[in-house]
Each structure stands twice: as C-alpha cells, then as structure tokens.
C-alpha cells in the first residue's frame, strides 16, 4: 500500500457508500482512463476473470464456438471460454516474448477455417508483463477479421513502442488481484475504445436490468461490478503505480547483475527497445547442460533458505482439465515450463531480503 488508499476507504465509510457503486468506482475508472489515455473507456469489475468472461459475451462467443488462446498463461485466461460453452484452441509461445506465436496462430486459424469453423476471438496475454508481438498478432487479427481480447492482467505499466498495454486489444482486460502490480485486494477492469462497450459491460455486470421502475430483464446478467470499498484502494494504488513499475524493473536488474557472468542462465528481458515490461515477475530460464544445474536445483536451494520461487505457468494444453482441447505449436512453452523459474519480485523487497536472496543464489552464479 502507498498510504492514501485508507483515506479513500474511510471516505466510503464516512459517506456510507458501501456498495458496488459510488464515487470511488467512478473515480477509479477516471483515473485508469487518464492513465491509459487514447480514449480508453474503463469498466471497473470484480475481477480480471469477470472482465474476460464479459469480453467473450460482448464478442458474442456462445456454445459451440471456438476461441484461440495462448497456452502458456494462468488458467483464468482460458476458463471463461468454458463458461460460455465454447472450445479453447491453444497456441504455443514464441521465444522472444514467451507469448502467442504468430506462426502457429495463423496455422491454427487456417486449419480451423478449413475444418469449417472460424474462431470467434483471439486471447493474447502479456505474460509476466512482457508485451506480446503486437504488430504481428494485430496483423493476423485484421487479416482474418478475428477480434483480439488483450489479457493485460499482468501488464499494467508495460508499453510497446510507447503505447500502453491495456490499449491494444479490441477489448482489453486488467486485474487488480492481490498479487498484481497494483491491487484492490480483488478486482479487475474491462477496457475498450467504444463507450457503448463500456456501458454494455456495466449493464451486464449489474444484473442486466432493463430501463423500468420494476425489475425487468431481457438478458442474463451477472454480479461483476467492483465494490466502492475496493475501488477506494484502487484510487490510492494508482498514485503508486509508477513507483511499483520502477521497483519491479529494479528487481529485474538485480537478477541480471547476479547472473551476469553465468553461462546457461538467462534472465527474461525485453527482446528490443520497442518493448518495455513492468517486469511484474522476474523470471529465468536455465540451460542445465551449460549451467551445470537445473531450475529445480535453484528452487530447492532457495526453499531451504525459506525463500519462495515457483516454476513458470504450466501451459494449458498440458493441464488435465484441458487435455481434450486442440493445440497448435511445438515445444516452446513446454520447454519454458521445464526450465524456467519465477524469482522473488515484490515491489517491497527490502535490502536485507535482497541480501538473503543474493547469498542463497551464490552457488549458482
Ligand atoms: C491474474 C490473471 C488473470 C485473472 O485475474 P483475476 O483478477 O485474478 O481474476 C487473468 N489472466 C492472467 C494472465 C492473470 O495473471
């Protein structure tokens, strides 16, 4: 927390705005719209997952449809496809950004069309804050007229060619879950250039109530709006977003420095000057033949010193729950999962914690 969050929350209590609407919800949306710029319209929601679900509904994804989705991601990117009764088609990553591979994406689109069904949407993720290959993916989306849902849950504060993540999709989503770059304890947002999309998202998120003095419904609604209490935390967090990005980027430098002389250890970083990652999490991949140890060796050594590190996201096409879903790709995401590791990356890691990490990693540098 930055400090001012409590003031906004206290204001909500003092004015009795304890509801999924109120001045903090509106204020948080305005603050996000200002930050994202370029006419972004933001609907504050209860989670990033809810935002993804509404994005699919707004793009008319229904039972029997197919949706293309990055395989290497958190399951929340893919679950809402199932909520809609649609089928996820998983796509491998490429090596530069670890995100959606344009070659396999196009291969999948062509193959699905030849099988008689054109996919309804593309879910592209900025994993660990690293922007996906915007130009290539957008070009494919335009060529085949398949809209992009930009999963920017991990990438608020990242940019590609100075344009902010959260502004690239036909519809974009953000998450303010407890572990993200800024948090509302739990929360999310749907972002679009179209005011009507924002309005429709809010309509669906508040039980799809028609204009009438009584309760009338012509559509199925959801209870997905953000609470005014949580939005208060969000308003305060917006004041420290830039600081958090700076601190996370510093953590990435910290690890680059630790491993600078070690062959076989690569700290995940931007492929070119066009990309700027918020480095939500700092990750490494290990070539165990060159390094002489594996990512699991590092994880266990850190664990011994009571420091938590975790493997990278396990690709969706390897998850038991999605075992029957089609997959297009090679073994890029699979190998990243096998050889990668997320290291302690918090914005609040004190010098003493960083010293402990350095010491614990000494045998691997
Ligand atoms: C966190 C996350 C989500 C889901 O956001 P919630 O607010 O936790 O529902 C979706 N996609 C990715 C890539 C995430 O990391």
């Amino acid at each position: 927390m930055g400090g001012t969050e409590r003031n906004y929350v206290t204001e909500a209590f003092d004015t009795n705005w304890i509801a999924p609407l109120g001045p903090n919800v509106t204020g948080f949306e305005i603050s996000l719209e200002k930050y994202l710029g370029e006419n972004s319209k933001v609907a504050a929601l209860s989670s990033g997952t809810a935002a993804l679900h509404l994005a699919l509904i707004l793009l008319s994804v229904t039972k029997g449809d197919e949706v293309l989705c990055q395989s290497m991601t958190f399951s929340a990117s893919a679950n809402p496809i199932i909520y809609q009764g649609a089928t996820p088609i998983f796509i491998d990553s490429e090596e530069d950004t670890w995100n959606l591979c344009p070659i396999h994406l196009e291969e999948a689109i062509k193959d699905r069309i030849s099988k008689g069904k054109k996919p309804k949407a593309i879910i592209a993720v900025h994993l660990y804050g690293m922007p996906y290959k915007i130009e290539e993916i957008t070009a494919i989306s335009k060529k085949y007229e398949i809209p992009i849902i930009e999963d920017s849950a991990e990438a608020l504060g990242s940019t590609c060619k100075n344009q902010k993540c959260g502004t690239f999709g036909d519809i974009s989503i953000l998450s303010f879950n407890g572990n993200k770059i800024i948090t509302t304890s739990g929360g999310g947002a749907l972002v679009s250039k179209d005011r009507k999309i924002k309005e429709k998202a809010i309509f669906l998120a508040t039980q799809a109530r028609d204009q009438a003095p009584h309760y009338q419904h012509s559509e199925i609604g959801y209870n997905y709006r953000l609470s005014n209490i949580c939005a208060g935390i969000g308003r305060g967090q917006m004041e420290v977003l830039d600081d958090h990005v700076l601190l996370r980027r510093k953590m990435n430098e910290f690890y680059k420095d630790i491993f600078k002389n070690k062959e076989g250890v690569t700290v995940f970083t931007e492929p070119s000057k066009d990309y700027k990652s918020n480095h939500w999490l700092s990750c490494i991949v290990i070539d165990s033949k060159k390094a002489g140890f594996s990512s699991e060796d590092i994880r266990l050594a850190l664990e011994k010193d009571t420091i938590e590190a975790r493997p990278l996201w396990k690709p969706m096409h390897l998850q038991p729950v999605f075992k029957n879903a089609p997959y297009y790709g090679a073994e890029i995401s699979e190998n990243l999962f096998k050889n990668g590791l997320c290291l302690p990356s918090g914005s609040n890691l004190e010098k003493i914690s960083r010293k402990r990490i350095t010491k614990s990693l000494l045998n691997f540098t």
Side-chain angles (χ1 to χ4, degrees):
M1 294 292 104
T4 62
E5 293 86 354
R6 205 189 291 263
N7 304 342
Y8 292 108
V9 173
T10 302
E11 199 176 294
F13 273 83
D14 290 346
T15 53
N16 217 25
W17 276 105
I18 316 293
L21 81 166
N24 281 337
V25 176
T26 313
F28 186 38
E29 285 175 343
I30 290 170
S31 175
L32 282 162
E33 286 171 357
K34 274 200 187 128
Y35 180 80
L36 293 171
E38 299 171 65
N39 313 315
S40 289
K41 306 281 179 258
V42 174
L45 301 172
S46 55
S47 71
T49 311
L52 282 159
H53 189 194
L54 291 185
L56 291 169
I57 294 168
L58 290 163
L59 294 174
S60 313
V61 172
T62 57
K63 202 173 158 115
D65 285 339
E66 293 186 346
V67 175
L68 300 150
C69 182
Q70 185 166 322
S71 183
M72 192 162 167
T73 184
F74 177 47
S75 64
S77 305
N79 285 338
I81 302 171
I82 307 291
Y83 304 165
Q84 283 310 94
T87 304
I89 311 287
F90 291 117
I91 313 289
D92 203 358
S93 298
E94 39 77 19
E95 270 168 333
D96 294 339
T97 73
W98 299 3
N99 294 313
L100 211 50
C101 168
I103 296 163
H104 292 302
L105 176 65
E106 187 159 23
E107 179 202 330
I109 293 172
K110 281 183 180 158
D111 192 54
R112 299 324 288 181
I113 291 173
S114 80
K115 287 188 162 72
K117 225 175 231 178
K118 183 168 129 176
K120 284 290 241 342
I122 300 167
I123 300 178
V125 188
H126 307 297
L127 220 55
Y128 303 116
M130 185 66 73
Y132 60 77
K133 295 207 159 164
I134 308 284
E135 274 172 24
E136 289 89 333
I137 302 297
T138 308
I140 293 170
S141 151
K142 291 222 166 88
K143 180 172 168 190
Y144 294 95
E145 297 181 327
I146 305 174
I148 294 176
I149 298 173
E150 178 196 9
D151 182 343
S152 195
E154 301 176 1
L156 186 60
S158 299
T159 59
C160 189
K161 291 195 170 166
N162 293 321
Q163 191 181 330
K164 290 196 169 82
C165 287
T167 65
F168 291 110
D170 293 275
I171 298 179
S172 307
I173 74 97
L174 301 170
S175 167
F176 312 112
N177 197 34
N179 56 347
K180 298 295 176 3
I181 192 95
I182 60 164
T183 184
T184 58
S185 74
L190 184 142
V191 187
S192 146
K193 297 269 175 290
D194 186 346
R195 177 170 293 284
K196 288 205 188 86
I197 297 262
K198 168 177 172 171
E199 282 163 7
K200 187 75 196 276
I202 293 172
F203 168 76
L204 291 170
T206 50
Q207 307 288 21
R209 206 180 145 190
D210 293 342
Q211 294 272 345
H214 54 278
Y215 279 85
Q216 175 155 311
H217 307 273
S218 315
E219 278 180 74
I220 295 295
Y222 301 85
N223 184 3
Y224 278 172
R225 197 72 162 126
L226 186 65
S227 113
N228 194 56
I229 304 286
C230 295
I233 304 173
R235 288 180 88 178
Q237 286 274 283
M238 285 305 286
E239 297 171 19
V240 292
L241 172 57
D242 289 343
D243 290 342
H244 284 200
V245 172
L246 261 170
L247 289 165
R248 299 258 171 170
R249 286 180 59 79
K250 267 199 183 145
M251 283 310 294
N252 194 259
E253 291 297 324
F254 166 75
Y255 289 115
K256 270 198 235 167
D257 193 51
I258 287 183
F259 292 112
K260 65 175 183 287
N261 296 319
K262 184 68 202 170
E263 212 197 343
V265 180
T266 311
V267 179
F268 183 40
T269 191
E270 291 91 343
S272 81
K273 289 258 182 294
D274 288 343
Y275 294 80
K276 188 180 162 204
S277 171
N278 65 10
H279 288 304
W280 171 60
L281 296 187
S282 277
C283 309
I284 50 173
V285 260
I286 287 144
D287 180 333
S288 52
K289 280 203 191 89
K290 280 189 190 157
F293 50 80
S294 68
S295 58
E296 186 62 4
D297 293 334
I298 297 192
R299 195 187 70 77
L300 292 171
L302 288 168
E303 193 175 69
K304 234 188 208 159
D305 293 336
T306 65
I307 299 168
E308 189 189 19
R310 275 188 216 164
L312 305 184
W313 296 123
K314 181 173 183 176
M316 291 304 113
H317 72 280
L318 303 176
Q319 297 286 357
V321 73
F322 292 123
K323 64 177 185 295
N324 295 324
Y327 171 69
Y328 293 81
E331 276 142 26
I332 304 281
S333 58
E334 217 166 315
N335 284 330
L336 285 168
F337 173 61
K338 271 185 205 147
N339 302 315
L341 200 65
C342 297
L343 296 169
S345 310
S347 322
N348 55 354
L349 278 171
E350 306 285 350
K351 199 167 178 185
I352 185 160
S353 306
R354 294 200 301 271
K355 267 196 174 146
R356 277 185 58 213
I357 296 167
T358 310
K359 198 171 158 217
S360 190
L361 289 173
L362 215 61
N363 290 335
F364 303 101
T365 58

